[in-house]
Amino acid sequence: MMLSDQLVVMQKNETPPCISIVVALEGAQDKKAALQLVNQSIEEAADHLRTAWPDKAASLVNAFNELLGNYTYSPVHKGIGLYVAPNYNKLFHFSFPVQAKVCLGEKFAVRELLYQEQYGFEYLVLHLEEKKVQLYRGQMDRLQEIKDDNFPLDFDNEYDYTPATGGERVKDKSTIIGLRQQNFYRVADRKLEAYLHGQVLILTGPTKDIGYFEDVSTHKKELTASIHGNFSGVPMKTLEDKVWPAVRSFIELRDQQVIPSFMNGSPLR
């Protein structure tokens, strides 16, 4: 179920008290440390529930403990959110830094979920270079290189050019090189098909190579931005710093305003 669908489900189940707990995990080195932070926030919420809603406190705390029973720790998660109401409980992972908070009210506090909805989608980065094509999967400002049977794709002299009409081979060296390069990128474009499912696609690489790829690509509708420059062999952070502003600009242009129908609850801290 997509996050937007989950937000609709949450809204339909906003029966007070709605408890929203957001826990920052950047300092947690393992699952034990993460659970300790979460339990501290749950106990804070439980204290308030025992005072304000004593008849519902036990069942709501049990719902939090049920969520923790299925919690899977991962060092890539920067935070988690636990959302519990009398007829609803759900845990979400956050891929960006969050501020810890505990909220109780008539509605869930979903600012972090809205942020993740807006910025946390997955995108692809295809880096083009004369002799190699690399593919990255991105989320927020982080990239992870895809390494499998398709990528990285290395240039092979077998990526020969298609002879001109009439069957006569082209003799001009620069033309031959260009045609071979286009055929190389045509193969990369076909392999890209297995990964593109409507995601945003960012191209990076020298201007010449981007031009060759754009001439043969069948995925122009997914192409969102082109970042010119050779980033082969640079630290991943360098590429991330180049790509993320382009992705964020796309998002902000797409989403001029966040849906205002999801109201935040009142924070205890």
Side-chain angles (χ1 to χ4, degrees):
M1 186 180 293
M2 298 296 289
L3 181 55
S4 55
D5 297 329
Q6 287 284 2
L7 288 169
V8 172
V9 172
M10 289 177 72
Q11 191 178 47
K12 289 180 177 178
N13 287 280
E14 286 181 326
T15 303
C18 298
I19 308 101
S20 309
I21 294 177
V22 175
V23 182
L25 296 179
E26 286 192 284
Q29 300 299 316
D30 53 30
K31 183 175 182 179
K32 181 179 179 181
L35 288 175
Q36 184 176 0
L37 292 171
V38 177
N39 281 316
Q40 289 172 356
S41 293
I42 292 175
E43 189 55 40
E44 181 180 344
D47 288 342
H48 189 74
L49 285 168
R50 295 184 190 107
T51 300
W53 289 280
D55 57 325
K56 297 180 179 179
S59 62
L60 293 171
V61 172
N62 285 338
F64 278 115
N65 291 329
E66 180 183 330
L67 289 176
L68 286 189
N70 297 317
Y71 168 60
T72 302
Y73 171 80
S74 171
V76 303
H77 297 144
K78 303 296 181 63
I80 61 172
L82 300 93
Y83 302 87
V84 166
N87 297 308
Y88 180 87
N89 65 83
K90 189 71 177 177
L91 184 150
F92 294 92
H93 299 283
F94 298 123
S95 56
F96 54 91
V98 296
Q99 289 189 338
K101 67 180 181 183
V102 177
C103 302
L104 282 81
E106 295 186 356
K107 295 180 178 293
F108 288 114
V110 294
R111 184 181 303 275
E112 291 77 15
L113 292 173
L114 288 171
Y115 187 87
Q116 184 142 293
E117 172 82 353
Q118 187 179 18
Y119 290 98
F121 69 90
E122 188 176 279
Y123 58 93
L124 294 173
V125 176
L126 193 70
H127 181 61
L128 307 165
E129 190 264 329
E130 186 178 5
K131 297 298 183 181
K132 178 181 285 189
V133 175
Q134 294 166 277
L135 183 64
Y136 299 86
R137 183 174 286 112
Q139 189 174 43
M140 304 291 288
D141 59 348
R142 291 292 178 264
L143 297 176
Q144 181 177 12
E145 185 175 3
I146 294 173
K147 295 184 177 181
D148 56 19
D149 292 339
N150 294 320
F151 293 98
L153 179 65
D154 293 314
F155 182 85
D156 191 313
N157 285 328
E158 291 181 3
Y159 295 120
D160 206 351
Y161 63 89
T162 303
T165 56
E168 185 177 347
R169 297 178 67 85
V170 179
K171 297 181 179 180
D172 180 76
K173 183 177 180 181
S174 63
T175 303
I176 292 174
I177 292 173
L179 290 170
R180 283 180 173 171
Q181 203 68 48
Q182 284 184 326
N183 279 349
F184 175 46
Y185 290 141
R186 189 176 285 111
V187 172
D189 189 64
R190 287 199 298 267
K191 291 180 179 292
L192 185 62
E193 186 73 33
Y195 308 87
L196 269 177
H197 305 288
Q199 297 103 314
V200 165
L201 174 63
I202 308 290
L203 294 183
T204 63
T207 300
K208 170 175 59 69
D209 294 276
I210 289 176
Y212 283 144
F213 182 85
E214 290 178 335
D215 285 343
V216 301
S217 178
T218 60
H219 298 105
K220 293 183 177 66
K221 65 179 182 179
E222 288 92 356
L223 180 56
T224 301
S226 298
I227 301 172
H228 298 252
N230 193 337
F231 304 104
S232 297
V234 302
M236 183 74 79
K237 184 69 166 56
T238 302
L239 185 59
E240 290 170 341
D241 288 347
K242 288 289 185 180
V243 169
W244 176 236
V247 175
R248 197 162 74 177
S249 294
F250 162 77
I251 295 169
E252 291 169 353
L253 184 63
R254 182 199 65 183
D255 302 331
Q256 294 297 323
Q257 56 184 11
V258 177
I259 300 172
S261 58
F262 299 101
M263 301 297 292
N264 283 342
S266 301
L268 296 181
R269 58 175 169 85

